[in-house]
Amino acid sequence: QVQLVESGGGLVQAGGSLRLSCAASGRSFSSYLMGWFRQAPGKEREFVASIHRSGDFTYYADSVKGRLTISRDNAKNTVYLQMNSLKPEDTAVYYCAAGYFYSRNTRDYDSWGQGTQVTVAS
Protein backbone atom coordinates (compact mmCIF):
# COMPACT_ATOMS: atom_id res chain seq x y z
CA GLN A 1 0.00 0.00 0.00
CA VAL A 2 0.93 3.61 -0.45
CA GLN A 3 0.03 6.55 1.79
CA LEU A 4 -1.42 9.59 0.04
CA VAL A 5 -1.85 13.17 1.26
CA GLU A 6 -3.71 15.81 -0.76
CA SER A 7 -3.14 19.54 -0.54
CA GLY A 8 -3.91 22.72 -2.45
CA GLY A 9 -7.66 22.99 -1.96
CA GLY A 10 -9.40 26.17 -0.93
CA LEU A 11 -11.96 28.79 -1.84
CA VAL A 12 -11.90 30.26 -5.33
CA GLN A 13 -14.24 32.39 -7.42
CA ALA A 14 -15.95 30.95 -10.48
CA GLY A 15 -13.57 31.06 -13.42
CA GLY A 16 -10.52 30.83 -11.18
CA SER A 17 -7.83 28.20 -10.87
CA LEU A 18 -6.39 25.85 -8.30
CA ARG A 19 -3.65 23.26 -8.37
CA LEU A 20 -4.08 20.19 -6.21
CA SER A 21 -1.16 18.02 -5.20
CA CYS A 22 -1.07 14.48 -3.88
CA ALA A 23 2.13 13.38 -2.19
CA ALA A 24 2.82 9.68 -1.84
CA SER A 25 5.06 7.93 0.64
CA GLY A 26 7.17 4.92 -0.12
CA ARG A 27 9.22 3.94 -3.13
CA SER A 28 6.56 2.23 -5.26
CA PHE A 29 4.68 5.31 -6.50
CA SER A 30 5.65 4.70 -10.11
CA SER A 31 3.98 1.26 -9.98
CA TYR A 32 0.49 2.73 -9.55
CA LEU A 33 -2.13 4.12 -11.81
CA MET A 34 -3.25 7.30 -10.07
CA GLY A 35 -6.70 8.80 -10.04
CA TRP A 36 -8.57 11.84 -8.80
CA PHE A 37 -12.13 11.54 -7.51
CA ARG A 38 -14.48 14.05 -5.95
CA GLN A 39 -17.49 13.93 -3.68
CA ALA A 40 -20.02 16.74 -3.43
CA PRO A 41 -22.53 17.07 -0.58
CA GLY A 42 -25.28 14.49 -0.91
CA LYS A 43 -23.56 12.80 -3.84
CA GLU A 44 -21.54 9.65 -4.30
CA ARG A 45 -17.85 9.84 -4.97
CA GLU A 46 -17.28 10.26 -8.70
CA PHE A 47 -14.39 9.79 -11.08
CA VAL A 48 -12.55 12.90 -12.26
CA ALA A 49 -9.32 11.82 -13.95
CA SER A 50 -6.63 9.15 -13.99
CA ILE A 51 -3.11 8.77 -15.30
CA HIS A 52 -1.06 5.69 -16.20
CA ARG A 53 2.17 4.79 -14.46
CA SER A 54 4.33 6.33 -17.17
CA GLY A 55 2.14 9.38 -17.61
CA ASP A 56 1.63 8.55 -21.29
CA PHE A 57 -2.15 8.11 -21.05
CA THR A 58 -4.78 10.10 -19.23
CA TYR A 59 -8.53 9.80 -18.83
CA TYR A 60 -11.10 12.40 -17.85
CA ALA A 61 -14.74 12.66 -16.95
CA ASP A 62 -16.63 14.48 -19.68
CA SER A 63 -17.58 17.24 -17.28
CA VAL A 64 -13.97 18.31 -16.71
CA LYS A 65 -12.35 17.80 -20.11
CA GLY A 66 -10.54 20.91 -21.26
CA ARG A 67 -10.60 22.45 -17.79
CA LEU A 68 -8.81 20.00 -15.49
CA THR A 69 -5.46 18.37 -16.22
CA ILE A 70 -3.88 15.46 -14.39
CA SER A 71 -0.12 14.96 -14.36
CA ARG A 72 2.48 13.12 -12.33
CA ASP A 73 6.11 13.44 -11.37
CA ASN A 74 7.38 10.02 -10.40
CA ALA A 75 10.71 11.44 -9.23
CA LYS A 76 8.80 13.50 -6.65
CA ASN A 77 6.19 10.83 -5.85
CA THR A 78 3.50 13.37 -6.61
CA VAL A 79 0.39 13.58 -8.77
CA TYR A 80 -1.25 16.90 -9.63
CA LEU A 81 -4.61 18.17 -10.72
CA GLN A 82 -4.51 21.56 -12.40
CA MET A 83 -8.00 23.05 -12.32
CA ASN A 84 -8.87 25.99 -14.55
CA SER A 85 -12.13 27.74 -15.41
CA LEU A 86 -13.68 26.39 -12.24
CA LYS A 87 -17.44 26.26 -11.88
CA PRO A 88 -19.64 26.12 -8.77
CA GLU A 89 -20.52 22.54 -9.67
CA ASP A 90 -16.85 21.63 -9.19
CA THR A 91 -17.29 22.21 -5.45
CA ALA A 92 -16.44 18.97 -3.67
CA VAL A 93 -13.91 17.16 -1.56
CA TYR A 94 -11.20 15.94 -3.93
CA TYR A 95 -9.41 12.65 -3.27
CA CYS A 96 -6.41 11.07 -4.89
CA ALA A 97 -6.25 7.31 -5.16
CA ALA A 98 -3.85 4.59 -6.26
CA GLY A 99 -4.84 1.57 -8.33
CA TYR A 100 -3.52 -0.93 -10.84
CA PHE A 101 -5.63 -0.49 -13.96
CA TYR A 102 -7.91 2.05 -15.54
CA SER A 103 -11.23 2.24 -13.76
CA ARG A 104 -13.85 4.84 -12.92
CA ASN A 105 -15.09 2.80 -9.96
CA THR A 106 -13.92 3.78 -6.48
CA ARG A 107 -13.83 0.12 -5.44
CA ASP A 108 -11.02 -0.58 -7.90
CA TYR A 109 -8.59 1.72 -6.10
CA ASP A 110 -6.69 0.37 -3.11
CA SER A 111 -5.25 3.47 -1.42
CA TRP A 112 -6.90 6.81 -0.72
CA GLY A 113 -5.90 10.16 0.66
CA GLN A 114 -7.89 12.08 3.26
CA GLY A 115 -9.21 14.57 0.73
CA THR A 116 -8.96 18.31 0.23
CA GLN A 117 -11.91 20.70 0.03
CA VAL A 118 -12.44 22.75 -3.11
CA THR A 119 -15.14 25.41 -2.95
CA VAL A 120 -16.03 27.47 -6.01
CA ALA A 121 -18.11 30.54 -5.24
CA SER A 122 -20.55 31.99 -7.75
Side-chain angles (χ1 to χ4, degrees):
Q1 300 294 330
V2 60
Q3 288 73 51
L4 306 171
V5 180
E6 303 95 336
S7 62
L11 175 65
V12 65
Q13 296 294 315
S17 298
L18 285 173
R19 187 195 190 200
L20 306 184
S21 298
C22 176
S25 64
R27 299 181 296 176
S28 60
F29 175 75
S30 61
S31 298
Y32 293 94
L33 177 145
M34 299 298 298
W36 284 97
F37 291 76
R38 66 187 183 187
Q39 187 166 19
K43 304 291 185 179
E44 293 189 355
R45 196 167 299 184
E46 67 173 349
F47 172 81
V48 175
S50 66
I51 185 167
H52 282 195
R53 292 174 293 175
S54 67
D56 290 342
F57 301 97
T58 57
Y59 307 90
Y60 296 94
D62 289 341
S63 60
V64 306
K65 287 181 180 178
R67 301 188 300 113
L68 276 60
T69 303
I70 188 172
S71 62
R72 68 190 297 162
D73 187 338
N74 289 343
K76 296 181 179 180
N77 285 5
T78 302
V79 63
Y80 305 94
L81 186 67
Q82 178 66 48
M83 304 189 294
N84 298 325
S85 301
L86 285 165
K87 305 175 180 180
E89 50 262 45
D90 294 318
T91 295
V93 177
Y94 283 72
Y95 301 88
C96 64
Y100 299 97
F101 56 90
Y102 169 71
S103 175
R104 296 178 176 229
N105 194 317
T106 60
R107 293 177 293 180
D108 292 322
Y109 290 79
D110 296 329
S111 300
W112 293 85
Q114 296 278 43
T116 185
Q117 176 71 48
V118 172
T119 302
V120 183
S122 60

